[in-house]
Amino acid sequence: MTGLVAAVSILIVLFALAYGLVVLGISGPPAPAKLRLLGEKYLYYMINPATKYFTAESPEGVSAILWDYRGLDTLYETMVLFGAIIGAILVYREYLHSEPGKTGKIYGLSLIVRAVSKIIIWLTIIIAVAFGFTGQITPGGGFVGGAAFAVVPVLLALVYTLGYARRLGLTHRRALLLRATFLLLLVLVIITPLIAGGYVFQNQAKPGSSFSFPGRFIDSTPLGGSIFLLNLFELFAVAGAFTVAFILLGVIASLKEGD
Amino acid sequence: MMRAGYIAVWLAGILIYFLIVARITLFDLVVAPIISMVAALIVGGEVVKKPGKALSPKRWLYGLAYTLYYLLVVEPACHLRVASMVLGLRDYMPDIVEVPFDYRTDYAVAATANSITNTPGTIVVDIDPEAKKYFVHWLEAYTRDPRIVREKIIMVFDKWIKKIFED
Amino acid sequence: MGVGEVFWLYVWLIIMANAGMALYGLIMRPNVLKKIACLTVLADTSFIVLALIGYRFKYPVSPYVMTSWAPDNATLTRFISESVDPLPPTLTITAVVINLSITILLVFLAIRLYEVYGTLDVKKIAMIKKELRGEQ
């Protein structure tokens, strides 16, 4: 019975894909050489001094769409992410108050791996934070930077063990605090235009509201207005959220070993 | 002394930021110190313990010279050796041997281990930091005498590594 | 068929085979961890399809990043004639994040499942549940 269900559902999916292939033109490239109208409009308006009411002041297309044109989508996406993290914490909330054994000695991996990992962790932090700071100019941005930053606690826990990471001050409480603080800042950026008499999620000036975040730095480097701030806060919020999840996984693992 | 370590890491981080973005504007000049500061505050004290050594240009020059020497002289020679073993021109006797070392810093230990592993024919399998011994899988293990083994495996790198990371 | 058509047929067949295998694992493998892994493989397959849809098969082609920071009309026209579509990458990044959060939640639930039943095999879990019901 299960085999039949599996076969039928797999066949349905493959048939749908094949149908899409036929519609798109079988065995041809999936994308047309000409740009679609929607993409063309985004590219035309995203950093255009001539169209003051439509510009996002960001030369990077994906950041402009993520945090300006379709900002509410991204806000809800962020909510799904934090909802999932909160759900994960709720499943294991009894472990939040438990203390894993404080070992005086560092176990973890060998001396060589530890010496090299120090430098890797340092470089990872620089690259991750740089993603967040320059997301409006070059590809990258808050989510990518945050996910890259989350590699750091994983490396710390794997290479140096969780006890050492805790001694460095990396606890789930601090990570939760980081996440909550930057989420609050994110929401503040979103509602600031509303307080100033504009619209929610407003970035540059719109008809009926002249409020706009600073679009350019002093030397006219694009800041993307609120895009810069939102990328930055998203970076630390996502990093905090993933750190909580990984620390919790590590705590569960270390307690299971102790049994 | 501790604070100087953070500053060394901070300055190096700024340099790395500009290597990544490959662009110098006023925005980058303002942002780079902040980004580097975040990284330095988190790991600075661990990465650099003695800033005088990290900031010494002599050690950087030795590092550059060692990289060139390693890639252009040591590694081709080892490649030729292993290639002749593969072709049957040279005998081989694979075994795991103990190699003693006398480095004091983590970085010297790690750099030597990586140098050994990266040359064909030798791989560091494990390390005993207390007894100061590498366990090396070696293709020409005709002897187990620690003095000779050390001479054959790590003496090629030893004087460079000591000039870069120790002394 | 030309070389290009054979190439694209090959690419599409690989994508379909990938999706088919992921679905097979998702439905037929009893281990929960394998189900989760197959789910991420399925999601990654859809990201590849999205990336292919967003690309432009022409020359020259450029990324969706404007290099001029105060563009005039000529620059904009040239940019639009070269740049790839920015919308599919945006959808991909959204989907990646959602996929990641779902995976994290599923992994935590799987750990809980293992704690409660002592196994990750859904067939064994069903048997244990049946036994428990029979005892009551």
Side-chain angles (χ1 to χ4, degrees), chain A residues 110-112 115-116 118-119 121-123 125-127 130 133-134 136-138 164 217 219 221 223, chain B residues 9 12-13 16-17 20 23 25-27 30-31 35 39 42-43 46 106-107 109-110 113-114 127:
Chain A
S110 78
L111 186 73
I112 303 165
V116 177
K118 270 191 235 174
I119 297 175
I121 287 173
W122 172 56
L123 289 177
I125 295 174
I126 290 180
I127 290 167
F133 267 95
T134 59
Q136 78 282 11
I137 307 173
T138 48
Y164 182 73
F217 199 64
D219 64 338
T221 305
L223 278 181
Chain B
V9 176
I16 282 171
Y17 173 84
I20 296 168
R23 158 191 80 212
T25 63
L26 187 65
F27 174 73
V30 172
V31 158
I35 292 172
I42 297 176
V43 293
E46 292 290 317
D106 290 5
Y107 285 129
V109 174
N114 287 347
I127 181 176

mmCIF file of all heavy atoms in Angstrom, chain A residues 110-112 115-116 118-119 121-123 125-127 130 133-134 136-138 164 217 219 221 223, chain B residues 9 12-13 16-17 20 23 25-27 30-31 35 39 42-43 46 106-107 109-110 113-114 127:
data_model
loop_
_atom_site.group_PDB
_atom_site.id
_atom_site.type_symbol
_atom_site.label_atom_id
_atom_site.label_comp_id
_atom_site.label_asym_id
_atom_site.label_seq_id
_atom_site.Cartn_x
_atom_site.Cartn_y
_atom_site.Cartn_z
ATOM 1 N N SER A 110 42.337 17.854 18.550
ATOM 2 C CA SER A 110 43.768 17.931 18.870
ATOM 3 C C SER A 110 44.283 19.375 18.808
ATOM 4 O O SER A 110 43.617 20.281 18.313
ATOM 5 C CB SER A 110 44.557 17.068 17.904
ATOM 6 O OG SER A 110 44.701 17.733 16.677
ATOM 7 N N LEU A 111 45.501 19.537 19.295
ATOM 8 C CA LEU A 111 46.145 20.854 19.367
ATOM 9 C C LEU A 111 46.209 21.522 18.001
ATOM 10 O O LEU A 111 45.990 22.729 17.877
ATOM 11 C CB LEU A 111 47.550 20.646 19.923
ATOM 12 C CG LEU A 111 48.376 21.881 20.220
ATOM 13 C CD1 LEU A 111 47.839 22.545 21.453
ATOM 14 C CD2 LEU A 111 49.817 21.490 20.409
ATOM 15 N N ILE A 112 46.487 20.738 16.960
ATOM 16 C CA ILE A 112 46.634 21.292 15.615
ATOM 17 C C ILE A 112 45.313 21.896 15.163
ATOM 18 O O ILE A 112 45.260 23.038 14.691
ATOM 19 C CB ILE A 112 47.079 20.183 14.642
ATOM 20 C CG1 ILE A 112 48.371 19.546 15.135
ATOM 21 C CG2 ILE A 112 47.220 20.717 13.257
ATOM 22 C CD1 ILE A 112 48.679 18.243 14.475
ATOM 23 N N ALA A 115 44.569 25.135 17.037
ATOM 24 C CA ALA A 115 45.361 26.297 16.621
ATOM 25 C C ALA A 115 44.846 26.855 15.297
ATOM 26 O O ALA A 115 44.743 28.070 15.120
ATOM 27 C CB ALA A 115 46.834 25.899 16.495
ATOM 28 N N VAL A 116 44.494 25.964 14.366
ATOM 29 C CA VAL A 116 44.025 26.443 13.068
ATOM 30 C C VAL A 116 42.624 27.026 13.182
ATOM 31 O O VAL A 116 42.303 28.035 12.547
ATOM 32 C CB VAL A 116 44.078 25.291 12.031
ATOM 33 C CG1 VAL A 116 43.530 25.747 10.708
ATOM 34 C CG2 VAL A 116 45.495 24.806 11.871
ATOM 35 N N LYS A 118 41.277 28.664 15.552
ATOM 36 C CA LYS A 118 41.275 30.032 16.076
ATOM 37 C C LYS A 118 41.211 31.027 14.930
ATOM 38 O O LYS A 118 40.399 31.950 14.927
ATOM 39 C CB LYS A 118 42.579 30.272 16.837
ATOM 40 C CG LYS A 118 42.550 29.930 18.288
ATOM 41 C CD LYS A 118 43.798 30.480 18.931
ATOM 42 C CE LYS A 118 44.558 29.410 19.647
ATOM 43 N NZ LYS A 118 45.833 29.839 20.173
ATOM 44 N N ILE A 119 42.101 30.820 13.941
ATOM 45 C CA ILE A 119 42.184 31.754 12.827
ATOM 46 C C ILE A 119 40.943 31.651 11.956
ATOM 47 O O ILE A 119 40.401 32.663 11.495
ATOM 48 C CB ILE A 119 43.465 31.485 12.013
ATOM 49 C CG1 ILE A 119 44.666 31.739 12.917
ATOM 50 C CG2 ILE A 119 43.532 32.357 10.798
ATOM 51 C CD1 ILE A 119 45.971 31.406 12.294
ATOM 52 N N ILE A 121 37.921 30.843 12.884
ATOM 53 C CA ILE A 121 36.802 31.492 13.562
ATOM 54 C C ILE A 121 36.908 33.009 13.407
ATOM 55 O O ILE A 121 35.926 33.692 13.095
ATOM 56 C CB ILE A 121 36.786 31.086 15.054
ATOM 57 C CG1 ILE A 121 36.315 29.648 15.195
ATOM 58 C CG2 ILE A 121 35.881 31.999 15.853
ATOM 59 C CD1 ILE A 121 36.425 29.094 16.582
ATOM 60 N N TRP A 122 38.128 33.511 13.572
ATOM 61 C CA TRP A 122 38.336 34.953 13.456
ATOM 62 C C TRP A 122 37.941 35.437 12.058
ATOM 63 O O TRP A 122 37.196 36.426 11.903
ATOM 64 C CB TRP A 122 39.815 35.247 13.747
ATOM 65 C CG TRP A 122 40.276 36.625 13.510
ATOM 66 C CD1 TRP A 122 39.749 37.748 14.062
ATOM 67 C CD2 TRP A 122 41.344 37.036 12.669
ATOM 68 N NE1 TRP A 122 40.442 38.836 13.620
ATOM 69 C CE2 TRP A 122 41.427 38.427 12.765
ATOM 70 C CE3 TRP A 122 42.250 36.362 11.862
ATOM 71 C CZ2 TRP A 122 42.385 39.164 12.064
ATOM 72 C CZ3 TRP A 122 43.205 37.089 11.179
ATOM 73 C CH2 TRP A 122 43.259 38.470 11.283
ATOM 74 N N LEU A 123 38.406 34.723 11.011
ATOM 75 C CA LEU A 123 38.087 35.120 9.638
ATOM 76 C C LEU A 123 36.590 35.004 9.372
ATOM 77 O O LEU A 123 35.995 35.861 8.701
ATOM 78 C CB LEU A 123 38.850 34.246 8.643
ATOM 79 C CG LEU A 123 40.349 34.483 8.567
ATOM 80 C CD1 LEU A 123 40.996 33.520 7.613
ATOM 81 C CD2 LEU A 123 40.614 35.905 8.115
ATOM 82 N N ILE A 125 34.134 35.399 11.462
ATOM 83 C CA ILE A 125 33.411 36.529 12.058
ATOM 84 C C ILE A 125 33.554 37.757 11.170
ATOM 85 O O ILE A 125 32.576 38.453 10.877
ATOM 86 C CB ILE A 125 33.930 36.805 13.479
ATOM 87 C CG1 ILE A 125 33.625 35.624 14.391
ATOM 88 C CG2 ILE A 125 33.278 38.051 14.039
ATOM 89 C CD1 ILE A 125 34.240 35.762 15.756
ATOM 90 N N ILE A 126 34.787 38.037 10.713
ATOM 91 C CA ILE A 126 34.992 39.232 9.873
ATOM 92 C C ILE A 126 34.130 39.148 8.615
ATOM 93 O O ILE A 126 33.415 40.094 8.263
ATOM 94 C CB ILE A 126 36.479 39.367 9.489
ATOM 95 C CG1 ILE A 126 37.297 39.737 10.709
ATOM 96 C CG2 ILE A 126 36.658 40.446 8.429
ATOM 97 C CD1 ILE A 126 38.759 39.884 10.418
ATOM 98 N N ILE A 127 34.148 37.991 7.951
ATOM 99 C CA ILE A 127 33.405 37.867 6.695
ATOM 100 C C ILE A 127 31.903 37.969 6.952
ATOM 101 O O ILE A 127 31.181 38.651 6.220
ATOM 102 C CB ILE A 127 33.768 36.540 6.007
ATOM 103 C CG1 ILE A 127 35.203 36.626 5.497
ATOM 104 C CG2 ILE A 127 32.828 36.241 4.861
ATOM 105 C CD1 ILE A 127 35.795 35.327 5.079
ATOM 106 N N ALA A 130 30.980 41.522 7.734
ATOM 107 C CA ALA A 130 31.121 42.333 6.527
ATOM 108 C C ALA A 130 29.940 42.112 5.589
ATOM 109 O O ALA A 130 29.464 43.062 4.945
ATOM 110 C CB ALA A 130 32.430 42.001 5.816
ATOM 111 N N PHE A 133 27.242 44.371 6.884
ATOM 112 C CA PHE A 133 27.472 45.808 6.733
ATOM 113 C C PHE A 133 27.388 46.255 5.275
ATOM 114 O O PHE A 133 27.061 47.403 5.003
ATOM 115 C CB PHE A 133 28.845 46.175 7.301
ATOM 116 C CG PHE A 133 28.803 46.602 8.733
ATOM 117 C CD1 PHE A 133 29.040 45.701 9.741
ATOM 118 C CD2 PHE A 133 28.521 47.921 9.063
ATOM 119 C CE1 PHE A 133 29.000 46.093 11.068
ATOM 120 C CE2 PHE A 133 28.486 48.318 10.384
ATOM 121 C CZ PHE A 133 28.723 47.396 11.386
ATOM 122 N N THR A 134 27.769 45.382 4.325
ATOM 123 C CA THR A 134 27.815 45.808 2.924
ATOM 124 C C THR A 134 26.739 45.135 2.088
ATOM 125 O O THR A 134 26.853 45.069 0.869
ATOM 126 C CB THR A 134 29.195 45.508 2.318
ATOM 127 O OG1 THR A 134 29.418 44.111 2.415
ATOM 128 C CG2 THR A 134 30.294 46.223 3.051
ATOM 129 N N GLN A 136 23.930 46.111 1.165
ATOM 130 C CA GLN A 136 23.204 46.938 0.201
ATOM 131 C C GLN A 136 24.046 47.261 -1.017
ATOM 132 O O GLN A 136 23.535 47.777 -2.002
ATOM 133 C CB GLN A 136 22.700 48.217 0.885
ATOM 134 C CG GLN A 136 23.732 49.299 1.104
ATOM 135 C CD GLN A 136 24.633 48.995 2.288
ATOM 136 O OE1 GLN A 136 24.628 47.919 2.825
ATOM 137 N NE2 GLN A 136 25.425 49.980 2.679
ATOM 138 N N ILE A 137 25.350 46.993 -0.978
ATOM 139 C CA ILE A 137 26.226 47.301 -2.111
ATOM 140 C C ILE A 137 26.592 46.039 -2.877
ATOM 141 O O ILE A 137 26.578 46.013 -4.103
ATOM 142 C CB ILE A 137 27.521 47.997 -1.621
ATOM 143 C CG1 ILE A 137 27.169 49.200 -0.766
ATOM 144 C CG2 ILE A 137 28.350 48.434 -2.801
ATOM 145 C CD1 ILE A 137 28.373 49.819 -0.118
ATOM 146 N N THR A 138 26.947 44.990 -2.155
ATOM 147 C CA THR A 138 27.376 43.753 -2.793
ATOM 148 C C THR A 138 26.502 42.601 -2.296
ATOM 149 O O THR A 138 25.895 42.714 -1.243
ATOM 150 C CB THR A 138 28.847 43.441 -2.450
ATOM 151 O OG1 THR A 138 29.004 43.594 -1.048
ATOM 152 C CG2 THR A 138 29.795 44.345 -3.173
ATOM 153 N N TYR A 164 34.040 24.810 27.212
ATOM 154 C CA TYR A 164 34.973 25.905 26.949
ATOM 155 C C TYR A 164 34.243 27.109 26.376
ATOM 156 O O TYR A 164 34.512 28.250 26.771
ATOM 157 C CB TYR A 164 36.047 25.416 25.983
ATOM 158 C CG TYR A 164 37.093 26.445 25.662
ATOM 159 C CD1 TYR A 164 38.051 26.789 26.606
ATOM 160 C CD2 TYR A 164 37.108 27.082 24.433
ATOM 161 C CE1 TYR A 164 39.003 27.729 26.323
ATOM 162 C CE2 TYR A 164 38.067 28.024 24.142
ATOM 163 C CZ TYR A 164 39.017 28.338 25.091
ATOM 164 O OH TYR A 164 39.954 29.271 24.819
ATOM 165 N N PHE A 217 25.713 57.630 2.122
ATOM 166 C CA PHE A 217 26.729 57.986 3.094
ATOM 167 C C PHE A 217 27.326 59.334 2.677
ATOM 168 O O PHE A 217 26.970 59.890 1.637
ATOM 169 C CB PHE A 217 27.796 56.888 3.127
ATOM 170 C CG PHE A 217 28.644 56.904 4.362
ATOM 171 C CD1 PHE A 217 28.094 56.672 5.597
ATOM 172 C CD2 PHE A 217 29.992 57.159 4.268
ATOM 173 C CE1 PHE A 217 28.868 56.694 6.719
ATOM 174 C CE2 PHE A 217 30.779 57.185 5.394
ATOM 175 C CZ PHE A 217 30.215 56.960 6.630
ATOM 176 N N ASP A 219 30.108 60.209 1.424
ATOM 177 C CA ASP A 219 30.755 60.233 0.117
ATOM 178 C C ASP A 219 29.860 59.620 -0.960
ATOM 179 O O ASP A 219 30.347 59.105 -1.943
ATOM 180 C CB ASP A 219 32.089 59.508 0.179
ATOM 181 C CG ASP A 219 31.903 58.030 0.503
ATOM 182 O OD1 ASP A 219 30.852 57.688 1.059
ATOM 183 O OD2 ASP A 219 32.790 57.231 0.184
ATOM 184 N N THR A 221 28.237 56.918 -1.056
ATOM 185 C CA THR A 221 28.094 55.463 -1.137
ATOM 186 C C THR A 221 26.662 55.103 -0.766
ATOM 187 O O THR A 221 26.159 55.600 0.244
ATOM 188 C CB THR A 221 29.043 54.779 -0.142
ATOM 189 O OG1 THR A 221 30.359 55.234 -0.392
ATOM 190 C CG2 THR A 221 28.995 53.269 -0.292
ATOM 191 N N LEU A 223 23.521 53.706 0.922
ATOM 192 C CA LEU A 223 23.234 53.034 2.190
ATOM 193 C C LEU A 223 21.923 52.272 2.105
ATOM 194 O O LEU A 223 21.619 51.438 2.932
ATOM 195 C CB LEU A 223 23.131 54.050 3.326
ATOM 196 C CG LEU A 223 24.427 54.518 3.957
ATOM 197 C CD1 LEU A 223 24.124 55.481 5.066
ATOM 198 C CD2 LEU A 223 25.192 53.342 4.496
ATOM 199 N N VAL B 9 45.255 42.138 16.402
ATOM 200 C CA VAL B 9 44.200 41.421 15.692
ATOM 201 C C VAL B 9 43.285 42.394 14.961
ATOM 202 O O VAL B 9 42.860 42.159 13.826
ATOM 203 C CB VAL B 9 43.400 40.557 16.684
ATOM 204 C CG1 VAL B 9 42.234 39.891 15.990
ATOM 205 C CG2 VAL B 9 44.286 39.518 17.289
ATOM 206 N N ALA B 12 44.994 43.700 11.748
ATOM 207 C CA ALA B 12 45.013 42.654 10.727
ATOM 208 C C ALA B 12 43.627 42.449 10.140
ATOM 209 O O ALA B 12 43.473 42.220 8.935
ATOM 210 C CB ALA B 12 45.538 41.353 11.328
ATOM 211 N N GLY B 13 42.591 42.577 11.000
ATOM 212 C CA GLY B 13 41.220 42.414 10.521
ATOM 213 C C GLY B 13 40.837 43.477 9.516
ATOM 214 O O GLY B 13 40.160 43.208 8.519
ATOM 215 N N ILE B 16 42.260 42.564 6.253
ATOM 216 C CA ILE B 16 41.545 41.456 5.618
ATOM 217 C C ILE B 16 40.225 41.935 5.026
ATOM 218 O O ILE B 16 39.835 41.521 3.936
ATOM 219 C CB ILE B 16 41.347 40.325 6.637
ATOM 220 C CG1 ILE B 16 42.654 39.572 6.759
ATOM 221 C CG2 ILE B 16 40.242 39.387 6.218
ATOM 222 C CD1 ILE B 16 42.715 38.580 7.825
ATOM 223 N N TYR B 17 39.553 42.870 5.714
ATOM 224 C CA TYR B 17 38.311 43.416 5.156
ATOM 225 C C TYR B 17 38.562 44.040 3.791
ATOM 226 O O TYR B 17 37.828 43.784 2.831
ATOM 227 C CB TYR B 17 37.726 44.462 6.114
ATOM 228 C CG TYR B 17 36.536 45.191 5.520
ATOM 229 C CD1 TYR B 17 35.268 44.632 5.589
ATOM 230 C CD2 TYR B 17 36.683 46.407 4.878
ATOM 231 C CE1 TYR B 17 34.181 45.265 5.038
ATOM 232 C CE2 TYR B 17 35.604 47.054 4.316
ATOM 233 C CZ TYR B 17 34.359 46.483 4.405
ATOM 234 O OH TYR B 17 33.295 47.118 3.850
ATOM 235 N N ILE B 20 39.001 41.553 1.129
ATOM 236 C CA ILE B 20 37.757 40.897 0.710
ATOM 237 C C ILE B 20 36.970 41.795 -0.235
ATOM 238 O O ILE B 20 36.566 41.375 -1.307
ATOM 239 C CB ILE B 20 36.881 40.534 1.927
ATOM 240 C CG1 ILE B 20 37.570 39.503 2.811
ATOM 241 C CG2 ILE B 20 35.546 39.983 1.465
ATOM 242 C CD1 ILE B 20 36.882 39.350 4.139
ATOM 243 N N ARG B 23 37.925 47.412 -2.497
ATOM 244 C CA ARG B 23 37.344 48.707 -2.871
ATOM 245 C C ARG B 23 37.628 49.632 -1.695
ATOM 246 O O ARG B 23 37.535 49.214 -0.548
ATOM 247 C CB ARG B 23 35.838 48.498 -3.071
ATOM 248 C CG ARG B 23 34.980 49.734 -2.946
ATOM 249 C CD ARG B 23 33.536 49.311 -2.897
ATOM 250 N NE ARG B 23 33.162 48.846 -1.568
ATOM 251 C CZ ARG B 23 32.271 47.905 -1.312
ATOM 252 N NH1 ARG B 23 31.660 47.307 -2.282
ATOM 253 N NH2 ARG B 23 31.996 47.558 -0.076
ATOM 254 N N THR B 25 36.426 53.147 -0.243
ATOM 255 C CA THR B 25 35.645 54.380 -0.206
ATOM 256 C C THR B 25 35.630 54.849 1.242
ATOM 257 O O THR B 25 36.079 54.139 2.141
ATOM 258 C CB THR B 25 34.201 54.137 -0.679
ATOM 259 O OG1 THR B 25 33.596 53.222 0.233
ATOM 260 C CG2 THR B 25 34.157 53.557 -2.075
ATOM 261 N N LEU B 26 35.089 56.053 1.454
ATOM 262 C CA LEU B 26 35.013 56.566 2.822
ATOM 263 C C LEU B 26 34.154 55.642 3.678
ATOM 264 O O LEU B 26 34.452 55.391 4.847
ATOM 265 C CB LEU B 26 34.440 57.988 2.804
ATOM 266 C CG LEU B 26 34.457 58.702 4.144
ATOM 267 C CD1 LEU B 26 35.885 58.933 4.599
ATOM 268 C CD2 LEU B 26 33.722 60.025 4.058
ATOM 269 N N PHE B 27 33.077 55.102 3.063
ATOM 270 C CA PHE B 27 32.179 54.179 3.759
ATOM 271 C C PHE B 27 32.955 52.974 4.292
ATOM 272 O O PHE B 27 32.820 52.598 5.455
ATOM 273 C CB PHE B 27 31.083 53.736 2.789
ATOM 274 C CG PHE B 27 30.176 52.676 3.328
ATOM 275 C CD1 PHE B 27 29.235 52.975 4.297
ATOM 276 C CD2 PHE B 27 30.259 51.373 2.858
ATOM 277 C CE1 PHE B 27 28.398 52.007 4.790
ATOM 278 C CE2 PHE B 27 29.421 50.399 3.352
ATOM 279 C CZ PHE B 27 28.493 50.713 4.315
ATOM 280 N N VAL B 30 35.191 53.770 7.198
ATOM 281 C CA VAL B 30 34.477 53.906 8.474
ATOM 282 C C VAL B 30 34.047 52.539 8.987
ATOM 283 O O VAL B 30 34.134 52.258 10.188
ATOM 284 C CB VAL B 30 33.258 54.841 8.299
ATOM 285 C CG1 VAL B 30 32.397 54.833 9.547
ATOM 286 C CG2 VAL B 30 33.727 56.242 7.978
ATOM 287 N N VAL B 31 33.596 51.680 8.064
ATOM 288 C CA VAL B 31 32.974 50.420 8.472
ATOM 289 C C VAL B 31 34.021 49.365 8.863
ATOM 290 O O VAL B 31 33.818 48.601 9.808
ATOM 291 C CB VAL B 31 32.068 49.912 7.315
ATOM 292 C CG1 VAL B 31 31.840 48.436 7.411
ATOM 293 C CG2 VAL B 31 30.751 50.638 7.353
ATOM 294 N N ILE B 35 33.843 46.499 11.933
ATOM 295 C CA ILE B 35 33.737 45.058 11.692
ATOM 296 C C ILE B 35 34.901 44.325 12.357
ATOM 297 O O ILE B 35 34.722 43.321 13.052
ATOM 298 C CB ILE B 35 33.735 44.786 10.177
ATOM 299 C CG1 ILE B 35 32.447 45.328 9.564
ATOM 300 C CG2 ILE B 35 33.872 43.309 9.888
ATOM 301 C CD1 ILE B 35 32.446 45.282 8.071
ATOM 302 N N ALA B 39 35.149 41.334 15.571
ATOM 303 C CA ALA B 39 35.903 40.075 15.558
ATOM 304 C C ALA B 39 36.990 40.082 16.628
ATOM 305 O O ALA B 39 37.199 39.088 17.320
ATOM 306 C CB ALA B 39 36.512 39.849 14.177
ATOM 307 N N ILE B 42 35.754 39.448 20.143
ATOM 308 C CA ILE B 42 35.305 38.086 20.438
ATOM 309 C C ILE B 42 36.498 37.137 20.582
ATOM 310 O O ILE B 42 36.591 36.383 21.549
ATOM 311 C CB ILE B 42 34.338 37.585 19.349
ATOM 312 C CG1 ILE B 42 33.078 38.468 19.342
ATOM 313 C CG2 ILE B 42 33.930 36.145 19.602
ATOM 314 C CD1 ILE B 42 32.104 38.143 18.269
ATOM 315 N N VAL B 43 37.440 37.168 19.609
ATOM 316 C CA VAL B 43 38.511 36.162 19.648
ATOM 317 C C VAL B 43 39.910 36.749 19.792
ATOM 318 O O VAL B 43 40.879 36.001 19.818
ATOM 319 C CB VAL B 43 38.491 35.267 18.380
ATOM 320 C CG1 VAL B 43 37.268 34.423 18.359
ATOM 321 C CG2 VAL B 43 38.615 36.101 17.136
ATOM 322 N N GLU B 46 42.585 35.306 22.082
ATOM 323 C CA GLU B 46 42.987 33.926 21.818
ATOM 324 C C GLU B 46 43.902 33.835 20.610
ATOM 325 O O GLU B 46 44.815 33.017 20.579
ATOM 326 C CB GLU B 46 41.734 33.059 21.581
ATOM 327 C CG GLU B 46 40.885 32.867 22.803
ATOM 328 C CD GLU B 46 41.586 31.985 23.820
ATOM 329 O OE1 GLU B 46 42.177 30.978 23.431
ATOM 330 O OE2 GLU B 46 41.546 32.335 25.007
ATOM 331 N N ASP B 106 51.583 26.966 19.998
ATOM 332 C CA ASP B 106 50.593 26.172 19.262
ATOM 333 C C ASP B 106 50.762 26.335 17.765
ATOM 334 O O ASP B 106 50.661 25.379 17.003
ATOM 335 C CB ASP B 106 49.175 26.638 19.629
ATOM 336 C CG ASP B 106 48.817 26.258 21.029
ATOM 337 O OD1 ASP B 106 49.710 25.732 21.721
ATOM 338 O OD2 ASP B 106 47.665 26.479 21.418
ATOM 339 N N TYR B 107 51.004 27.598 17.356
ATOM 340 C CA TYR B 107 51.050 27.870 15.928
ATOM 341 C C TYR B 107 52.221 27.144 15.271
ATOM 342 O O TYR B 107 52.096 26.643 14.152
ATOM 343 C CB TYR B 107 51.157 29.374 15.667
ATOM 344 C CG TYR B 107 49.864 30.099 15.888
ATOM 345 C CD1 TYR B 107 49.792 31.228 16.694
ATOM 346 C CD2 TYR B 107 48.702 29.658 15.282
ATOM 347 C CE1 TYR B 107 48.603 31.887 16.904
ATOM 348 C CE2 TYR B 107 47.501 30.305 15.475
ATOM 349 C CZ TYR B 107 47.453 31.423 16.295
ATOM 350 O OH TYR B 107 46.279 32.061 16.491
ATOM 351 N N VAL B 109 53.557 24.320 16.274
ATOM 352 C CA VAL B 109 53.186 22.906 16.199
ATOM 353 C C VAL B 109 52.242 22.664 15.034
ATOM 354 O O VAL B 109 52.428 21.744 14.222
ATOM 355 C CB VAL B 109 52.531 22.478 17.528
ATOM 356 C CG1 VAL B 109 52.017 21.063 17.412
ATOM 357 C CG2 VAL B 109 53.513 22.586 18.660
ATOM 358 N N ALA B 110 51.218 23.541 14.918
ATOM 359 C CA ALA B 110 50.224 23.357 13.857
ATOM 360 C C ALA B 110 50.839 23.575 12.484
ATOM 361 O O ALA B 110 50.547 22.836 11.543
ATOM 362 C CB ALA B 110 49.062 24.335 14.067
ATOM 363 N N ALA B 113 52.937 20.579 11.560
ATOM 364 C CA ALA B 113 52.073 19.432 11.250
ATOM 365 C C ALA B 113 51.451 19.594 9.871
ATOM 366 O O ALA B 113 51.400 18.640 9.079
ATOM 367 C CB ALA B 113 50.987 19.310 12.307
ATOM 368 N N ASN B 114 50.990 20.834 9.557
ATOM 369 C CA ASN B 114 50.378 21.050 8.255
ATOM 370 C C ASN B 114 51.412 20.928 7.140
ATOM 371 O O ASN B 114 51.106 20.401 6.068
ATOM 372 C CB ASN B 114 49.703 22.415 8.208
ATOM 373 C CG ASN B 114 48.441 22.431 9.027
ATOM 374 O OD1 ASN B 114 47.957 21.376 9.433
ATOM 375 N ND2 ASN B 114 47.906 23.605 9.279
ATOM 376 N N ILE B 127 48.710 13.479 17.516
ATOM 377 C CA ILE B 127 49.722 14.275 18.204
ATOM 378 C C ILE B 127 49.584 14.052 19.695
ATOM 379 O O ILE B 127 48.478 13.877 20.204
ATOM 380 C CB ILE B 127 49.555 15.761 17.836
ATOM 381 C CG1 ILE B 127 50.617 16.609 18.535
ATOM 382 C CG2 ILE B 127 48.183 16.265 18.180
ATOM 383 C CD1 ILE B 127 50.549 18.055 18.139
#
